[in-house]
């Protein structure tokens, strides 16, 4: 007997306006990178998503990506729609790559302030510094202070590490390890509330000890209750609500609010009811999936199965989206 899954209220979350990015951070939950198509959220999809978010009780969101500021006219259009529909904006996330100089940045900030934005979350981490020279981050923070835009530095604890290098160019994680020790990535994970899904899985899979499939299955017999967690949700530009922040899984935004149909969301509902054991059984029996001996976690095995289904077996299903996620992770 399958338990129903229905997302009937939303508490706090964000809208992903685009998945292309100027960075390809090695911890990115959504596998953003310059390789994605330059798709940006359309006005029609913005209205559909905002309607549903408001219907389900959430009145403020943040905006994330990808890098949302890479298409300023698209971003402003989204903000105009949100403002007209009375959806508040808590902050916009940015990696600062678009920063050129203080005057032009202040002009952009003024435009955003005119559209009811009063805070930028500015990404600060060694992962971002592999792509973004730190002088851009410092320049943007200075422009925010000059233009009375609030700054939410995420995470300021890393500033000292990053300032150990020149700020005119990016610096690889290998440089960080050479300067701060071989266990630097472990150290970063302890200071950064990393979600070990998406690209973080691949970055950390050889850093932390792996466990046998049997051990993972023994722990993962119960369904994945995470999929019903709405305390911090994301919805992308294609209308994919990402259940439990399990990137690569999707519930279409139009299907939020009521019970999901099994035929449409078979993989997702199997995970919700039977956990990773249920998904593995389908993958082995119906698609010939052969697991490796060990994985980092149930989410690592889940990702491996889903990537096999989407990329190797060309399975196209409403709950395994967006497809390019599996290509660019
Ligand atoms: S095993 Fe899959 S569905 Fe379950 S929490 Fe991990 S990523 Fe999400």
């Amino acid at each position: 007997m399958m338990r129903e899954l229905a997302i009937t209220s939303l508490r706090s979350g964000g809208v992903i306006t685009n998945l292309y990015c100027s960075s390809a951070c090695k911890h990115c939950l959504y596998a953003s990178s310059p390789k994605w198509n330059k798709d940006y959220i359309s006005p029609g999809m913005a209205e559909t998503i905002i309607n549903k978010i408001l219907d389900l009780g959430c009145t403020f969101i943040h905006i994330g990506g990808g890098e949302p500021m890479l298409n300023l006219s698209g971003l402003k259009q989204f903000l105009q729609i949100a403002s007209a529909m009375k959806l508040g904006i808590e902050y916009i996330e940015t990696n600062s790559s678009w920063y050129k100089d203080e005057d032009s940045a202040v002009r952009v900030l003024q435009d955003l302030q005119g559209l009811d934005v009063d805070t930028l979350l500015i990404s600060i981490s060694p992962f971002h510094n592999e792509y973004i020279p730190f002088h851009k981050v410092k320049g943007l923070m200075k422009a925010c202070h000059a233009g009375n835009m609030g700054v939410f530095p995420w995470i300021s604890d890393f500033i000292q590490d990053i300032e150990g290098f020149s700020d005119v160019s990016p610096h690889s994680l290998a440089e960080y390890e050479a300067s701060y020790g071989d266990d630097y990535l472990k150290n970063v994970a302890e200071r950064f509330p990393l979600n070990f899904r998406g690209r973080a899985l691949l970055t950390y899979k050889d850093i932390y000890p792996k466990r046998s499939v049997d051990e993972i299955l023994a722990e993962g017999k119960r369904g994945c209750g995470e999929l019903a967690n709405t305390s911090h949700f994301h919805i992308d530009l294609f209308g994919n609500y990402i259940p439990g922040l399990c990137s690569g899984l999707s519930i279409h935004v139009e299907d939020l609010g009521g019970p999901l149909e099994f035929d449409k969301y078979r993989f997702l509902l199997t995970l919700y009811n039977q956990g990773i054991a249920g998904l593995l059984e389908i993958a082995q029996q119906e698609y010939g999936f052969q697991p490796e001996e060990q994985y980092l976690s149930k989410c690592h095995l889940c990702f491996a199965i889903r990537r096999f289904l989407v990329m190797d077996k060309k399975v196209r299903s409403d709950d395994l989206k967006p497809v390019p996620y599996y290509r660019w992770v």
Side-chain angles (χ1 to χ4, degrees), residues 70-237:
L70 293 180
N71 178 346
L72 275 179
S73 59
L75 176 60
K76 287 188 215 168
Q77 194 170 46
F78 180 84
L79 291 170
Q80 280 159 356
I81 295 168
S83 176
M85 296 177 74
K86 308 264 184 286
L87 179 70
I89 304 296
E90 287 171 300
Y91 55 83
I92 299 174
E93 297 178 357
T94 182
N95 65 20
S96 310
S97 60
W98 54 277
Y99 176 86
K100 291 191 180 69
D101 56 66
E102 184 166 319
D103 287 348
S104 62
V106 168
R107 284 196 295 277
V108 170
L109 299 178
Q110 285 168 342
D111 281 356
L112 299 179
Q113 284 164 324
L115 292 164
D116 303 328
V117 175
D118 63 11
T119 304
L120 294 189
L121 179 152
I122 299 186
S123 300
I124 299 170
S125 80
F127 296 116
H128 291 86
N129 193 227
E130 282 209 290
Y131 297 90
I132 318 292
F134 202 53
H135 76 88
K136 287 181 176 271
V137 178
K138 290 193 285 188
L140 180 56
M141 289 204 282
K142 198 157 159 266
C144 286
H145 294 309
N148 288 320
M149 175 68 87
V151 173
F152 177 6
W154 185 253
I155 299 172
S156 46
D157 181 45
F158 289 121
I159 291 176
Q160 198 180 351
D161 300 13
I162 298 168
E163 289 281 38
F165 300 97
S166 155
D167 69 4
V168 297
S169 59
H171 297 281
S172 67
L173 291 178
E175 287 175 82
Y176 278 86
E177 286 175 321
S179 287
Y180 298 119
D182 289 344
D183 61 352
Y184 185 69
L185 279 178
K186 267 191 187 170
N187 171 292
V188 167
E190 282 157 17
R191 294 155 68 195
F192 204 138
L194 279 186
N195 182 334
F196 284 98
R197 296 177 186 136
R199 212 176 271 138
L201 274 175
L202 305 183
T203 298
Y204 280 88
K205 73 179 168 48
D206 297 321
I207 291 177
Y208 286 120
K210 294 201 195 94
R211 290 175 306 146
S212 71
V213 170
D214 286 345
E215 278 176 283
I216 290 171
L217 293 182
E219 281 175 21
K221 278 186 185 146
R222 294 172 51 184
C224 290
E226 295 92 327
L227 293 166
N229 186 340
T230 62
S231 59
H232 188 83
F233 69 86
H234 286 153
I235 302 176
D236 76 17
L237 63 152

Side-chain angles (χ1 to χ4, degrees), residues 195-198 201 216 220 222-227 243-247 249 267-268 270-272 275-277 279 297-303 306 325:
N195 182 334
F196 284 98
R197 296 177 186 136
L201 274 175
I216 290 171
R222 294 172 51 184
C224 290
E226 295 92 327
L227 293 166
L245 300 186
C246 297
S247 47
L249 285 172
F267 298 110
L268 181 63
T270 298
L271 281 161
Y272 183 59
I276 189 61
L279 184 67
S297 62
K298 69 173 183 175
C299 300
H300 186 201
L301 174 55
C302 181
F303 167 77
R306 289 188 274 118
Y325 162 84

